[in-house]
Each structure stands twice: as C-alpha cells, then as structure tokens.
C-alpha cells in the first residue's frame, strides 16, 4: 500500500477539527492498493466475488476494468513487498507471470478469465496503451536529448546484438542443442522483437523456406521468447538495484551524463501550468491515436510494421518542431496517466492471455535455460560496458539494450517497470521494433541461403 502521512492530503484542519471519525475515514481513503483507495478496494473485491458467485459476470468494459484493476494492483503490491524479488522488479515479474500460473491451475474464475481475454484480444487495448506511452513520451521529451540519444543507443545495441549472437550460439553448441538450432530457434527469436512483430513473421519465413509448419515452429520458439523476456526483466531489476548502490553508474532515467533536462520535460522550461487543460490533454490523446492509425495504414498499404511507423512519425513530428507547447504539456499528462493507471492492468492481461504456463515451463529445460540466460546476459553486459564509449549512463544503456530481448511492447513495459525506467520507453521501442526488424530480416536471409 502506498504510504502517506496521517493527515489526509489537502485537508483543511478546520474541516477535521472535532470530527475524529471523519479524519480517520479520510486518512483511510488516502491510502491505496495501487491506485485504488482501500475502502473502494474492499468494496470492489466484495462486488466481484458476488458477481462471480451469482454467475453474472458480464463482458462490459466496467466489469473488465474492475477485474483487471483488482488482480493487477493486488499482485503488484505483493511483488513490491516480496523478499528478494522486490529488489529486482518484483512487482512487474509477479504481475506478468503469476497470472499465467493462476490461470493454468484454474484459480482465477473462468468467467473472469474469459471477459479479460475477449476484451484484450478484441479491442487491441495494448496498442492504445503503447500509443499513449510512446507518443506521449516522445512528444513531451526534450528535443536535444531525443536527437543525441537516438544516435548513441545504436552503439550498445549493435555491439550487444553481435556479442549475444556469438555467445548464445557457442553456448548452445556446447550444451548439445546444435549451432543452427540455437541460432534459428533460440538466439534469433529472443532478439526478434516479440511475438506479433517478431516470432510470427520469423516463423512464417521459416515455413516458407521449408523448416516445417508455422504453428509447430511458433510453439518451438515461444519458450525462448518467454524465458528471454523474463531474464531481461530480472536483469533490468538488478541493474536498477546496482544503480541505487552505485549512483555514478546511472542517471536514474536520464540517458546521458551532463544533460540537465529530464527526458520527459518539455523543451520550454518556463511555467506551463496554464497548458495542462482537459482540452490539451484530449488533443494530445487524439494525436497519439492518429499516429497509431497512420502506422496501421502503412502496414495495410505498404506492409510496414505499424508500431515502427508510429514511432517514426512521432519522432519526425518532434524533430520538425511540429508539436506546440500545449500538445507537449498534454502529452506529458497522457503519458503519466497511462503509466500510472494502465501499466499493471496491461501486464496482468498480457500474462493471463498471452503467456501460457506450459510454454514457459518448457523453456526451463536445463540446456535451453543455460543458452537463453547466456544470450540475454551477454546482450545486457555488452550494452553496459559499450555505453561508456558513447557517454551514456551504463545502467540506462544496458536496460535499453535488454529490451532488444523483450516481448514487443508488453515486454518493454515489464522490463522498464521492473527497473523504474519507463521514461526510456521511446529508446526501448527503437531497440525492440527496429532492432527486431533487422534481426528478422537478417536471419531469414541467412535461412534462405544456408537452410537447416
């Protein structure tokens, strides 16, 4: 639970004078489970138990929001307090992977699972979340930092990818998996950019060059992606812990030493309080939705990956001074809202719907596990040390490099949440989307020439 002072926030002492019951009630209402005030949380849990017991859980959006919020923020609070793992991003790990196990064991009511699954798949709410986070963060960040940062992250990213490929295939060969199987079904999937934008086109290409049926190939690469993402989450949490112990290695979210502006501060440093209006926030949200739809249109017409196009358009708009101060201010609120209110519910739904427990367990076969961990560790360690060469904080550089092994947008969210570095999301998307696209294109070209 969030910890606050005994006095309710914003309370007028005269209002509470002589009303001890009111003071206690207000103090309780100002303590939260995630974002949910404790009394409302208790009432909400009771209502969900009642609806479930009466078998009247409906698939309307209010019910879905309630289910996702209660489960996600409850698991998040557990992760924040769990011994050991709380220091390595425990909240993100618990919220992402525990729902998969609970679903596997049947400990989440089927009606609750069904409405979340239907909502998550039919609405593509994850893409709205990613649009709000990516566009909001890019449009509200410092333009100079954006330019310098995008240029610099390619050094640790490229170096990390090469070293990870070498280390991963070498370890896989040593433990008996075989060089080509390791390259095609472990190393490449880890750095392919997730499932939808990575594993699906990768296995489709494998099928087209005669590796087998795509469905079987997709099942074969999923454990590497799942466990690789889990490894990146844990390493990201450890990097955050290292940063707290060795502050000279981190910018606590700032990418480069010597840059005074926060990544998410608007370029105009004067007072902008008058710009944070509902009108401006709504306008910024529509900008994010429009850029997302432009990415979708590019995918339909040109076959370009939608998220990559959205990212490119947002960066282009920012670099071309196409964003006014009011849109910058609104974008910052949009970004903050999505992270505060939606990050954990999205991770919960992702773990519940898209992370099958059986596939996750398969990835823990000893030789696969050793190879996956070696690959991701090589990627992150290389990113850490090469970041110093281009004057990037090593912790931030390594965390961004680690997102190259993330499961797309949801994986990036989990990795950055674990390290409390969500402000690095635009750079993480570059690593995941563009880095993943290059990986898929390169490995399929190799497969076409070299085969199995």
């Amino acid at each position: 639970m969030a910890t606050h002072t005994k006095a309710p926030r914003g309370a007028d002492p005269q209002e509470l004078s002589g009303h001890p019951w009111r003071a206690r009630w207000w103090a309780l209402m100002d303590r939260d489970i995630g974002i949910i005030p404790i009394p409302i949380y208790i009432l909400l849990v009771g209502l969900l138990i009642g609806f479930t017991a009466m078998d009247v859980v409906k698939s309307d959006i209010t019910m879905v929001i309630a289910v996702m919020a209660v489960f996600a923020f409850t698991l998040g609070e557990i992760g924040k307090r769990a011994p050991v793992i709380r220091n390595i991003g425990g909240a993100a790990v618990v919220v992402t992977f525990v729902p998969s196990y609970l679903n596997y064991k049947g400990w989440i009511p089927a009606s609750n699972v069904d409405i979340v699954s239907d909502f998550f798949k039919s609405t593509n709410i994850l893409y709205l979340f990613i649009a709000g986070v990516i566009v909001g963060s890019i449009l509200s960040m410092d333009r100079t930092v954006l330019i310098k940062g995008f240029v610099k992250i390619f050094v640790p990213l490229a170096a990390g990818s090469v070293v990870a490929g070498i280390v991963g295939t070498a370890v896989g060969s040593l433990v008996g998996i075989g060089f080509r199987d390791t390259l095609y079904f472990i190393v490449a999937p880890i750095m392919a950019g997730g499932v939808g934008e990575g594993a699906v086109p990768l296995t489709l290409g494998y099928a087209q060059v005669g590796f087998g049926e795509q469905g079987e190939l997709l099942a074969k690469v999923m454990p590497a992606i799942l466990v690789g993402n889990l490894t990146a989450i844990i390493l990201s949490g450890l990097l955050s812990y290292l940063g707290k112990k060795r502050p000279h290695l981190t910018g606590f979210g700032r990418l480069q030493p010597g840059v005074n502006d926060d990544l998410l501060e608007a370029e105009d440093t004067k007072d902008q309080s008058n710009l944070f209006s509902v009108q401006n926030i709504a306008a910024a949200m529509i900008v994010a939705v429009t850029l997302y739809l432009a990415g979708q249109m590019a995918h339909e017409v040109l076959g370009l990956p939608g998220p990559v196009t959205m990212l490119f358009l947002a960066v282009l708009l920012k670099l071309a001074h196409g964003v006014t101060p009011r849109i910058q201010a609104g974008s910052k609120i949009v970004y903050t809202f999505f992270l505060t209110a939606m990050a954990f519910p999205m991770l919960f739904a992702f773990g519940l719907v898209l992370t099958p427990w059986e596939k996750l367990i398969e990835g823990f076969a000893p030789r696969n596990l050793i190879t996956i961990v070696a690959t991701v560790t090589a990627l992150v360690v290389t990113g850490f040390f090469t970041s110093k060469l281009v004057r990037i904080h090593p912790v931030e550089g390594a965390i961004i490099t680690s997102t190259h092994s993330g499961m797309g947008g949801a994986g990036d969210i989990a990795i950055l949440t674990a390290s409390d570095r969500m402000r690095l999301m635009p750079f993480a998307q570059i690593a995941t989307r563009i880095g993943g696209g290059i990986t898929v294109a390169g490995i399929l070209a190799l497969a076409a020439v070299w085969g199995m």
Side-chain angles (χ1 to χ4, degrees), residues 293-319:
L293 292 176
Q296 289 296 97
M297 180 61 73
H299 176 70
E300 296 294 334
V301 176
L302 303 174
L304 299 174
V308 174
T309 304
M310 176 182 68
L311 178 65
F312 173 78
L313 291 175
V315 172
L316 183 64
L317 190 63
K318 182 68 177 183
L319 295 181

Side-chain angles (χ1 to χ4, degrees), residues 34-35 73 129 133 333-345:
I35 63 169
F73 291 116
F129 174 78
V133 170
I333 297 297
V334 168
Y335 168 84
T336 304
F337 170 79
F338 273 85
L339 288 187
T340 303
M342 292 182 63
F344 277 5

Side-chain angles (χ1 to χ4, degrees), residues 331-362:
S331 297
K332 189 171 185 178
I333 297 297
V334 168
Y335 168 84
T336 304
F337 170 79
F338 273 85
L339 288 187
T340 303
M342 292 182 63
F344 277 5
M346 287 298 99
L347 289 176
F348 166 75
F350 173 73
L352 186 70
V353 177
L354 298 181
T355 311
W357 184 254
E358 300 92 331
K359 295 297 181 184
L360 187 63
I361 293 302
E362 287 179 17

Side-chain angles (χ1 to χ4, degrees), residues 422-443:
M422 266 294 195
R423 65 188 63 194
L424 298 176
M425 176 59 85
F427 304 123
Q429 285 290 293
I430 286 286
T432 302
R433 304 297 185 184
I434 296 179
I438 293 172
T439 299
V440 171
I443 203 69

Side-chain angles (χ1 to χ4, degrees), residues 261 265-272:
D261 293 326
E265 287 179 353
E267 290 177 86
D268 189 355
T269 56
K270 64 184 179 182
D271 181 23
Q272 294 186 329

Side-chain angles (χ1 to χ4, degrees), residues 58-357:
K58 299 179 181 179
S59 58
D60 59 81
I61 190 170
T62 52
M63 188 71 74
V64 174
I65 289 173
V67 170
M68 291 172 62
V70 165
F71 276 102
F73 291 116
T74 300
L75 292 172
E77 293 293 338
I78 292 171
K80 290 176 183 176
R81 288 161 174 74
V84 182
I85 68 168
R86 66 186 177 190
N87 294 322
I88 57 171
V93 173
V94 170
V95 175
T96 304
F97 292 102
V98 168
S100 176
Y101 178 74
L102 296 177
N103 189 28
Y104 170 74
K105 299 293 288 186
W107 291 345
I108 297 179
S111 58
N112 288 219
V113 174
D114 290 342
I115 64 168
V116 172
S117 179
D118 291 344
F119 175 79
F120 191 72
K121 292 179 179 178
S122 64
T123 63
N124 277 335
I125 186 68
L126 178 63
Y127 291 101
L128 176 64
F129 174 78
I130 292 172
V133 170
I134 295 174
V135 176
S137 58
I138 289 176
L139 298 189
S140 60
M141 73 162 53
D142 181 87
R143 182 175 175 273
T144 302
V145 175
L146 178 66
I147 295 171
K148 293 179 179 178
F150 277 162
V151 172
K152 288 188 174 183
I153 64 169
F154 281 107
V155 174
L157 181 61
S161 300
V162 171
V163 173
I166 294 171
V167 171
T169 50
V171 171
S173 300
L174 288 173
V175 297
I177 299 176
F179 183 87
R180 295 193 189 193
D181 275 359
T182 303
L183 177 62
Y184 289 143
F185 301 115
I186 293 181
V187 173
I190 285 174
M191 297 188 288
V195 179
E197 290 79 18
V200 172
L202 180 67
T203 52
L204 178 61
Y206 284 169
Q208 290 173 344
V209 297
F211 284 13
E213 295 293 329
Q214 187 190 6
E216 296 177 2
L217 293 167
L218 185 60
K220 190 172 184 177
V221 304
M222 277 299 294
I225 298 172
L226 292 170
V227 179
N229 192 81
L230 176 58
T231 304
I233 292 171
I234 294 172
L235 290 176
S236 179
L238 289 172
L239 284 165
S240 178
Y241 184 69
L242 174 65
K244 294 174 183 177
K245 295 296 183 180
R246 301 285 190 273
H248 65 282
L249 296 174
T250 181
F252 296 100
R254 292 182 174 88
L255 191 65
Q256 305 168 80
V259 177
N260 294 323
D261 293 326
D262 188 281
L263 276 170
L264 296 179
E265 287 179 353
E267 290 177 86
D268 189 355
T269 56
K270 64 184 179 182
D271 181 23
Q272 294 186 329
S273 58
N274 63 319
L275 298 177
F276 293 109
S277 68
V278 174
Q279 174 79 20
N280 297 343
I281 295 168
M285 188 66 241
I286 290 298
V287 170
V289 169
T290 302
L291 292 181
Y292 168 74
L293 292 176
Q296 289 296 97
M297 180 61 73
H299 176 70
E300 296 294 334
V301 176
L302 303 174
L304 299 174
V308 174
T309 304
M310 176 182 68
L311 178 65
F312 173 78
L313 291 175
V315 172
L316 183 64
L317 190 63
K318 182 68 177 183
L319 295 181
H321 295 281
V323 184
T324 62
R326 80 180 187 99
I327 299 298
Q328 288 180 176
S331 297
K332 189 171 185 178
I333 297 297
V334 168
Y335 168 84
T336 304
F337 170 79
F338 273 85
L339 288 187
T340 303
M342 292 182 63
F344 277 5
M346 287 298 99
L347 289 176
F348 166 75
F350 173 73
L352 186 70
V353 177
L354 298 181
T355 311
W357 184 254

